Structure formats: structure tokens, C-alpha cells
Amino acid sequence: MKVAIYARYSSDNQRDASIADQFRMCRLHAEKQGWQIVEEYSDHAISGSSLLRPGIQALISDATRGRFNLILAEAMDRLSRDQEDIAGLFKRMSYSGVKMFTLSEGEVSHLHVGLKGTMNALFLKDLADKTRRGQRGRVEAGKSGGGNSYGYDVVKKLDANGEPIRGHRTINEAQAEVVRRIFRDYAAGKSAKTIAFSLNRDGIAAPSGGDWGFSTINGNPKRGNGILNNEMYVGKIVWNRQRFVKDPDTGKRQARPNPESEWVIQEAPELRILDDDLWNAVKARQGENRTERDESGIADVRKMNHRRRPKYLFSGLTKCACCGGGYSAISATLIGCSTARNKGTCDNRVNIRRDELEARVLNALRTKLVDPEMFARFCEVFTQEMNRLRMEGRAGIASAEAEIEKTERELAKLLTAIKAGGPIEAIVEDMKRLEARKSELRTFLAEAEEPPPLLHPSMALQYRKRVQQLYEALQDEEEEKRIEAADILRSLVDQIVLTPVDGKVEIDVQGDLAGILMISAQTKNPAGGRGGSQVKMVAGARNYRYRHSLEVTI
């Protein structure tokens, strides 16, 4: 019996030794049963309410590949506490022919899944209720009910029994001064983006430890997050603004706002950083920004964030050569460096019209990315390399075929020796060895692959023809054809690097060789046809030399 052991702990009161203890107990049981342990999987400090755990995912993946016959754990709740998840895991393992066994329940059956799954689900609900009860008690006592906020330090205290007392905070004066600076600048009319630039320029670390962005400052007023919306800065703790529910499809938590009547608000004057006048001035300006536009005529940043922006043809493929960040829309027609615009840590301020970028890249795809002369030279070198691989491959195949013939002759001699009354045991051992070798050689010959097929220089011309057809399809009135053509064209591009040069943008189009060859090999029905088997071998693992991108500057 091949066995995989799984261990997990999630509580702050537990530690890594808990994993070691679970492994030790499971190993002892496996040894007593005479089972072979093939792998051990674990998840450290991760809740069992979801299967989005690296250890359990690796276990499931290996189980479906037949690496072991049985999963051994301390108890069912180590595998999952979610009723639906444990039932799904049991169903999947049953399909794969893998049994589940725990030290607490023994071999897991449908009855265990039903009863124990329900008990674990009730345990999670009870734990959540107790946690929220404890958080509410801390808030009503004037303490923090959750994580720490920028501007404060966590105060670590222990009670008489040595247990941690949670929720105590004290003002971090250095960070508090940064908070005051942000509020003063915003009240004076500066935008969140300008404030973020200034903080980054002065080398002040953001709450995350990295660079400041305008969203860190603006946040979301409805949810009460972001520097400008944290009421703790005026000595007020607000708890239960929102609740979290688990998405049944992804297993991830999603925030849901609670009605204001359910909020718990507690005064904490010792945590006040700002005076009421400054706080009210910022709130008044935020209210104006929600309904008015600034002098440039651009809508407030938060309103723009809520508006769905159209994606352009090469969305997500454009990169800034200066910082490596992406290019994004800064208006209806222009795109620019996102890092320069949002954080101010990049000096690239050169923008480009979206339609100009698309036209130049499409022109490069049609005319410059695969030059016929360069492609012909590539095919020549490629052919030489393939011929070398063919010679090496044929040499190995010929050698294997010759060794098989030699092995068969030796087997025939041994058979003759047996008939002549030779030492049977020694002869049988030699025959077994030769039969095993012959089996290895036949397996080698059966799996030996021919090198990739040769390319012809005319593929470059065929590529241009195919891209031209796709370009024309972009102009088609039928939306489905336009989307189809756009997807194929995007597949030809690894990335588009934009470099500012003398106030203009230089564009480096880096194309995927495999995609280019696939387009070249398809002569009909670009979306529905395939013809990819030839190209897959060209870009396969046996020929890494040609897996690089093709690049052209336009």
C-alpha cells in the first residue's frame, strides 16, 4: 500500500511542531500496518475552510496521477473543515481509486463525510461567531478590533496567565506626522496622485513598505479604507462596516457592506492624530470631488476607476522600457507609463496615441517582423541543425537496432546451451538479463522521435499573407470576426516595449517565433484550423536554440 501523509495547522496557538507531531503519529501507524510512505504534504498556518492551500492542491494533483493508493491524516478536519470541500475531495479520491484514512475516524466513508463534515462546518461557524464576539468586545472596550492601521504600533501585553491581550495600539509619531502631512496637502487642494509623488520623492515608505500610490491615499470612502477615510485618526474606532463571504466557485472571500445600523462605533480619544477642522476640510473636498470635475476637465480619479474603460488591441502587452511597468490609458486617446502617472517613481512622461501605436505595431507585424531574407537565413541554419540532430538520432537508432540483433543471437546460443544440458540456473539468469535489455531497446525505438520537419523560406511570405488577412478581418463589420482576428494577432506578440527617445516613442515589438510559424503553416481557416503539430515540434524542448523571440524596432 503506497501512502501519502497530510498534516496542517491553522491556529496561532499552534506551531510548526504540530506538523511534526502529526507526521510522527501517522508514520508510526503506517509502519505498524506495513504501508509504504511515498510522500508527505503539509500546510502551515492556513485555515481548513478552503482547499486553496498549496499542500492539499499538490496532494490532489499527485493522487489523480496515481502516485499513491491511500491518504493518511490525523483527522478529517486536517484535510478540510468545509462540508462541501470534504465531500468533493472524497468524491474525487474515490474516482481516482485513492482511499482516505485518518487516525481519528479510521477509513473514511460516506457516513463520515456526511456527519463529520456537518460537525466541522458547525465548528467553523461557531469559531467565526466567537471571533466576532471577541472583536466586538475589544472595540467596545476602546481597543482595535482587527489589523493594525498606518500611524499606529501594536502594543504587546500578556495577562496574568501569560495569554496575549489583543487590541492595544499606540501612536507611531513618525507615521502620524506623515498622516497629518497627507491631510494638510489634500485639504490645500493637492491631488492624491501629487501627494503620492511627493512622498515617494522624499523616500517615505508606504504602509506596505513599497511606493505610495494614489489608491492608498484615496481608498474607498464607503468601506472606510485608505488614509483619507480612516476615522481612527480622529479618535473613533468603527467596526463591522463589512462582512466577508466565501465565493463557492473560487473559495476566495468577498467583501459585502453591512448596513450602517449594524456598525459598532467607539470613541478612543487617546488614538487621535488629527483635529476635527482638518478632518472636516478633507471630507468636504472629497464630497466636492464626487460631483465636480477639476480644472483640466478630467473626472475625479475615483469616478474614472468605476467607469469601465475599453481595452485596446494590444492591452496588457505594452511595457515601459524605463521601469518595466505597464502602459495604460490616461485619456480616451492617449496611453502612458502607469508607474510614472500613479506613483511618480518613473521619469517616462512621453505618451503615445493608442491608434498610432496599433497602426505601427500592425505594420510591423505585416512587413517587418519576419523579413524574407532574414527568415531564409534562419531556415538555412535551422536546416543544418536539424540535419545534425537527424544524424545523431539515426546513429542512436541504428546502434539500438544492431544491439537488438546481437541480443537475439546471444539468446539463441543460450537456448542451444540449455538443450545441450548446460547449467540451467546460470543460463536462465543470463536470458532474463538479455530479455530485459532487449525490452529496453525496443522501448527506446518505439519512443524515438524524428527531428522537427524542415522549414522553407517561403513561410515568411505566407506569414505576411496571413497577417494581412487578419488585419483586413479587423475592419469586418461582424464583431465575432473582429474579436477572432484580434486574438490571433495578439498571440503573435510577446510584448511591446515603449522607449522615450527625444520626446517620441520608439517601439520594440517582440514576437513569439512559435506563433509566427503557426500562422505561417496555416493556409486556410485561421481560427478553426490548426496545423500546429509541425510548429510545436519546431519550438519543442529538443531545440531550445530557436525558442527565443524575434524582435524588431519600429
Side-chain angles (χ1 to χ4, degrees):
M1 179 71 73
K2 294 182 178 179
V3 178
I5 299 177
Y6 178 79
R8 176 188 64 83
Y9 79 89
S10 61
S11 172
D12 291 337
N13 296 325
Q14 294 177 307
R15 49 195 172 85
D16 286 343
S18 173
I19 296 287
D21 292 341
Q22 294 176 49
F23 278 154
R24 186 179 66 256
M25 296 303 296
C26 288
R27 288 193 203 107
L28 290 173
H29 184 85
E31 291 173 5
K32 189 181 298 184
Q33 300 297 323
W35 295 341
Q36 176 190 357
I37 300 173
V38 297
E39 189 60 88
E40 295 177 342
Y41 304 84
S42 62
D43 287 305
H44 299 243
I46 302 179
S47 170
S49 62
S50 170
L51 288 180
L52 296 178
R53 292 170 266 149
I56 196 71
Q57 288 299 321
L59 179 137
I60 293 172
S61 176
D62 287 349
T64 56
R65 293 201 298 265
R67 189 176 178 190
F68 43 80
N69 317 105
L70 184 141
I71 297 172
L72 177 61
E74 181 187 48
M76 276 180 57
D77 59 9
R78 298 300 90 195
L79 294 166
S80 178
R81 289 188 181 277
D82 185 274
Q83 189 174 12
E84 182 181 2
D85 286 345
I86 194 64
L89 179 62
F90 179 79
K91 186 176 182 181
R92 188 178 300 178
M93 293 303 102
S94 298
Y95 177 77
S96 301
V98 178
K99 294 182 179 180
M100 296 167 59
F101 191 99
T102 69
L103 302 181
S104 298
E105 294 88 10
E107 184 174 342
V108 177
S109 65
H110 286 88
L111 185 62
H112 290 103
V113 171
L115 294 178
K116 199 74 174 181
T118 301
M119 292 173 63
N120 287 333
L122 292 174
F123 169 82
L124 281 178
K125 185 178 184 304
D126 182 58
L127 180 63
D129 291 342
K130 288 181 178 178
T131 301
R132 291 181 62 80
R133 208 159 43 239
Q135 290 176 335
R136 181 170 190 139
R138 290 200 298 271
V139 171
E140 291 178 346
K143 304 175 184 178
S144 174
N148 193 30
S149 296
Y150 185 80
Y152 302 94
D153 290 327
V154 176
V155 179
K156 296 182 179 180
K157 292 184 178 180
L158 300 177
D159 61 16
N161 298 321
E163 295 294 325
I165 301 176
R166 305 181 189 278
H168 285 283
R169 300 290 184 267
T170 185
I171 295 176
N172 182 313
E173 287 300 335
Q175 294 181 359
E177 186 53 40
V178 175
V179 171
R180 297 186 190 102
R181 169 180 170 176
I182 291 172
F183 272 78
R184 286 195 299 266
D185 288 349
Y186 191 85
K190 293 184 179 180
S191 67
K193 182 173 67 175
T194 302
I195 297 172
F197 286 1
S198 177
L199 294 172
N200 290 330
R201 186 173 57 248
D202 293 344
I204 299 174
S208 63
D211 296 327
W212 289 85
F214 67 84
S215 60
T216 306
I217 297 172
N218 269 331
N220 187 320
K222 290 184 178 180
R223 294 185 177 181
N225 55 30
I227 297 294
L228 296 179
N229 305 304
N230 191 344
E231 294 187 68
M232 190 179 291
Y233 296 146
V234 287
K236 187 181 297 183
I237 299 175
V238 181
W239 180 78
N240 204 36
R241 284 178 178 267
Q242 59 189 13
R243 65 189 185 280
F244 292 91
V245 295
K246 188 173 75 170
D247 188 324
D249 294 325
T250 64
K252 295 182 179 180
R253 298 197 313 162
Q254 300 290 334
R256 296 286 186 272
N258 288 328
E260 193 168 347
S261 59
E262 296 181 8
W263 296 2
V264 177
I265 303 175
Q266 183 67 33
E267 298 293 333
E270 71 279 6
L271 298 179
R272 177 184 283 271
I273 291 177
L274 306 171
D275 58 58
D276 289 336
D277 291 341
L278 183 55
W279 172 267
N280 292 333
V282 167
K283 294 293 108 178
R285 182 164 180 240
Q286 282 183 316
E288 294 173 358
N289 287 342
R290 280 196 290 269
T291 56
E292 297 180 0
R293 293 176 175 267
D294 59 19
E295 295 179 359
S296 65
I298 303 298
D300 181 74
V301 172
R302 288 168 305 155
K303 296 185 71 177
M304 290 181 66
N305 286 341
H306 289 291
R307 184 173 68 245
R308 184 176 180 180
R309 300 175 180 178
K311 291 184 177 180
Y312 58 94
L313 179 59
F314 299 109
S315 174
L317 298 174
T318 50
K319 303 292 181 183
C320 173
C322 300
C323 66
Y327 262 61
S328 61
I330 61 175
S331 71
T333 59
L334 293 176
I335 62 171
C337 176
S338 300
T339 305
R341 176 172 175 259
N342 297 330
K343 297 184 177 180
T345 53
C346 177
D347 296 328
N348 181 8
R349 294 285 178 173
V350 182
N351 305 322
I352 185 173
R353 288 182 60 89
R354 175 172 56 85
D355 53 359
E356 178 188 349
L357 172 72
E358 293 178 358
R360 289 169 64 180
V361 173
L362 285 172
N363 182 59
L365 290 176
R366 284 188 293 168
T367 61
K368 296 183 179 181
L369 191 56
V370 179
D371 181 85
E373 293 184 5
M374 293 181 62
F375 194 77
R377 175 57 182 161
F378 162 75
C379 291
E380 178 184 347
V381 177
F382 181 87
T383 301
Q384 293 173 357
E385 179 67 10
M386 288 304 99
N387 286 336
R388 185 185 65 80
L389 291 175
R390 287 177 189 277
M391 293 175 64
E392 292 179 357
R394 283 308 312 167
I397 292 173
S399 175
E401 291 172 344
E403 190 176 349
I404 286 179
E405 291 180 2
K406 181 181 177 180
T407 302
E408 289 176 343
R409 288 196 300 269
E410 292 181 1
L411 285 169
K413 291 178 181 179
L414 291 174
L415 184 59
T416 301
I418 290 177
K419 292 178 180 179
I424 294 179
E425 292 185 2
I427 292 174
V428 168
E429 287 299 320
D430 286 342
M431 292 184 73
K432 288 181 177 178
R433 176 180 56 79
L434 291 171
E435 285 290 354
R437 178 56 180 164
K438 187 169 72 171
S439 176
E440 291 177 3
L441 292 169
R442 285 180 172 171
T443 300
F444 167 76
L445 291 174
E447 296 178 352
E449 296 181 359
E450 289 291 328
L454 304 185
L455 302 177
H456 194 277
S458 65
M459 290 188 74
L461 300 177
Q462 182 62 35
Y463 161 80
R464 289 189 175 190
K465 180 180 178 182
R466 293 294 305 111
V467 173
Q468 179 62 32
Q469 292 173 351
L470 292 169
Y471 174 75
E472 293 171 356
L474 284 177
Q475 322 304 323
D476 199 286
E477 294 182 359
E478 189 175 337
E479 182 179 4
E480 185 175 345
K481 288 185 178 180
R482 293 199 306 272
I483 295 175
E484 193 173 64
D487 288 342
I488 297 174
L489 285 169
R490 283 175 56 86
S491 71
L492 298 178
V493 179
D494 278 345
Q495 63 177 358
I496 302 169
V497 180
L498 305 180
T499 307
V501 178
D502 298 330
K504 296 183 180 180
V505 174
E506 184 179 272
I507 305 174
D508 291 332
V509 181
Q510 299 177 7
D512 176 35
L513 177 58
I516 290 170
L517 295 178
M518 182 175 291
I519 288 293
S520 304
Q522 296 171 348
T523 57
K524 295 181 180 180
N525 192 15
R530 281 297 179 258
S533 58
Q534 176 184 4
V535 178
K536 285 181 180 177
M537 289 192 290
V538 169
R542 295 179 60 188
N543 194 22
Y544 286 103
R545 184 181 300 182
Y546 301 108
R547 298 187 70 178
H548 303 297
S549 296
L550 298 179
E551 182 174 345
V552 63
T553 300
I554 55 175

